[in-house]
Amino acid sequence: MHFLPEELDNYVVAHSENEPELLQQLNRETYQKVLQPRMLSGHYQGRVLSIISKLINPKNILEIGTYTGYSALCLAEGMQKNGVLHTIDV
């Protein structure tokens, strides 16, 4: 299911950072093993979270609603070296 017009989607793909290998693997595994894989943040949202985290360079992050951890890994990319990431999910 596509929500963006094709032209906009093509622009985003052309101007986005590539999805890191670890996140590609997690994406594949989520789609193979989880009942509702579309809840995964995904490539575009993950890159935006990564950019925001790199700009803020947080020491601590609290993520509520972790799912399979994709967004948590993206947020961790910009954390300070001794930072702590807490995730909460059922």
Side-chain angles (χ1 to χ4, degrees):
M1 183 182 319
H2 297 282
F3 297 103
L4 296 175
E6 187 176 348
E7 289 178 355
L8 182 55
D9 189 61
N10 291 339
Y11 179 87
V12 171
V13 169
H15 294 87
S16 293
E17 180 182 11
N18 291 333
E19 185 178 37
E21 178 62 31
L22 176 66
L23 294 174
Q24 288 177 21
Q25 292 172 7
L26 180 56
N27 195 338
R28 272 193 302 276
E29 184 174 328
T30 300
Y31 271 84
Q32 290 171 349
K33 298 180 179 179
V34 178
L35 288 176
Q36 296 178 333
R38 286 193 221 160
M39 288 178 52
L40 182 80
S41 293
H43 179 208
Y44 306 146
Q45 296 88 347
R47 295 301 82 207
V48 169
L49 290 172
S50 176
I51 289 169
I52 292 170
S53 182
K54 289 173 183 175
L55 289 170
I56 296 171
N57 189 233
K59 181 169 176 116
N60 298 298
I61 297 174
L62 171 62
E63 182 180 51
I64 301 172
T66 306
Y67 201 54
T68 59
Y70 190 99
S71 57
L73 292 172
C74 293
L75 289 167
E77 291 179 32
M79 280 183 25
Q80 295 178 21
K81 236 181 190 359
N82 295 323
V84 177
L85 171 66
H86 295 276
T87 62
I88 299 172
D89 209 318
V90 279

